[in-house]
Amino acid sequence: MSQRFPPVALIGAPTDIGAGHRGASMGPEALRVAGLPQALHERGIEVVDRGNLAGPLNPWQPPQDGYRHLAEVTAWNRAVMTAVRNELAAGNLPVVLGGDHSLALGSITAVAGHCRERGRKLLVLWFDAHADFNTSTITPSGNLHGMPVACLCGHGPRELTELGGSSPAITPDRIRQIGIRSVDAGEKRMVRDAGLDIYDMRYIDEIGMRRAMEEALEGIDADTHLHVSFDVDFLDPEIAPGVGTTIPGGPNYREAQLAMEMIADRGCLGSLDIVELNPAFDVRNRTAALTVDLVESLFGKSTLMRD
């Protein structure tokens, strides 16, 4: 078994409760069909698949007071938070298989609490086409998968901002967003006021993925717990069509692979979300297979041939 990584625990969260399209609930099984457990095992990593969490069905109702499905999203995130907390306490590396990106509230709240208890630094790398910093007053849709970063930073309903018992779960300086290219007007003001560290696609185009990732990874050391929250719509839809909200102009395959390889080089990965994979929009599970390939790179697979 791998000496670099602790045992990996796969946690399925099959829900699209926070999204604006149905289908992300099929994401965990698509990742399994694409061979995620086997791919990690072949890298010498011990893998245990915990199966799928249970939670409320998607009622598919309109927003109430600016939020769609708040009670159901809260229930799913409580289940995710408990599962991730248990895996971290057992010394495992939790990998949440989503599901929509609202689930990151539960996983990151659990990771943040774990780090506080052990006096470790936390850094979240948020790979996404969207900033996910909406609130009930500025959201155009009420979909909670567009609000998890705001909620983690203390802006949102108490049910979510105090999910772990205190608010905020993290401060904005603990999160760095990569690949952003779709931000609502009101959300942009919120992001600027919060001082989020964002490496948007304009910036990546100008300086290149390598330098952007060097900056995003700055300050990481052996005492850092690195949480990667990987929204599949981070990728350009030309290579990853299987998402609910496609935004053109994302990273290509090699840029995404380089980003994952550079994270692996640091050796600080402590937890991972894989979210917003939507097989209903995919072509023969192509996006799931690509995602598995990138996760392999995150866990040490490299194209490097030089010493």
Side-chain angles (χ1 to χ4, degrees):
M1 292 294 109
S2 171
Q3 298 302 307
R4 285 190 60 191
F5 295 101
V8 167
L10 304 180
I11 304 165
T15 182
D16 45 24
I17 206 91
H21 295 88
R22 303 299 300 269
S25 57
M26 299 184 287
E29 208 55 37
L31 289 166
R32 292 181 176 110
V33 169
L36 179 59
Q38 296 88 338
L40 294 177
H41 182 76
E42 287 171 6
R43 298 212 55 74
I45 299 167
E46 182 181 344
V47 180
V48 55
D49 190 341
R50 301 297 189 194
N52 291 338
L53 299 172
L57 297 176
N58 191 335
W60 205 245
Q61 295 296 310
Q64 292 186 353
D65 300 321
Y67 304 107
R68 286 186 80 206
H69 310 149
L70 177 58
E72 293 84 1
V73 168
T74 301
W76 271 103
N77 274 287
R78 285 198 178 281
V80 168
M81 179 179 66
T82 300
V84 169
R85 180 187 291 154
N86 290 342
E87 298 301 339
L88 291 169
N92 297 332
L93 192 160
V95 176
V96 175
L97 310 179
D100 69 78
H101 215 164
S102 69
L103 298 165
L105 272 163
S107 62
I108 295 174
T109 297
V111 170
H114 177 81
C115 290
R116 281 193 296 270
E117 290 169 5
R118 286 156 178 77
R120 299 195 71 201
K121 294 185 292 185
L122 169 63
L123 179 65
V124 177
L125 293 186
W126 188 276
F127 290 89
D128 204 325
H130 310 87
D132 291 347
F133 211 87
N134 269 306
T135 66
S136 63
T137 57
I138 62 174
T139 174
S141 67
N143 296 326
L144 278 155
H145 74 161
M147 306 185 198
V149 180
C151 289
L152 286 164
C153 293
H155 306 284
R158 288 184 58 188
E159 295 94 326
L160 297 177
T161 59
E162 298 180 8
L163 192 69
S166 62
S167 179
I170 61 172
T171 51
D173 63 303
R174 294 294 86 204
I175 186 165
R176 296 168 187 175
Q177 297 191 316
I178 301 162
I180 308 301
R181 55 193 186 275
S182 177
V183 184
D184 300 315
E187 185 183 18
K188 190 175 290 186
R189 289 191 295 272
M190 290 278 294
V191 163
R192 286 173 173 165
D193 289 347
L196 275 185
D197 195 1
I198 294 184
Y199 301 83
D200 62 20
M201 284 309 301
R202 168 70 184 266
Y203 190 70
I204 291 170
D205 287 342
E206 289 178 345
I207 72 168
M209 183 62 80
R210 175 190 171 186
R211 186 168 154 198
M213 287 303 300
E214 285 175 342
E215 293 179 7
L217 292 165
E218 187 176 350
I220 287 179
D221 57 27
D223 196 39
T224 302
H225 179 114
L226 180 62
H227 178 92
V228 172
S229 202
F230 186 88
D231 186 321
V232 180
D233 74 21
F234 158 76
L235 302 166
D236 192 273
E238 287 291 322
I239 62 170
V243 297
T245 309
T246 54
I247 306 294
N252 62 32
Y253 170 73
R254 186 56 211 145
E255 288 173 319
Q257 192 180 55
L258 175 62
M260 300 301 111
E261 289 175 341
M262 291 180 69
I263 294 170
D265 289 346
R266 294 301 180 103
C268 292
L269 180 67
S271 44
L272 170 66
D273 309 319
I274 309 169
V275 295
E276 298 289 352
L277 174 64
N278 192 326
F281 295 97
D282 207 0
V283 180
R284 295 192 295 276
N285 220 28
R286 168 186 168 193
T287 306
L290 171 59
T291 302
V292 170
D293 186 60
L294 293 174
V295 172
E296 285 187 86
S297 296
L298 190 57
F299 279 88
K301 185 184 77 171
S302 177
T303 58
L304 187 64
M305 297 297 291
R306 294 171 288 127
D307 291 332

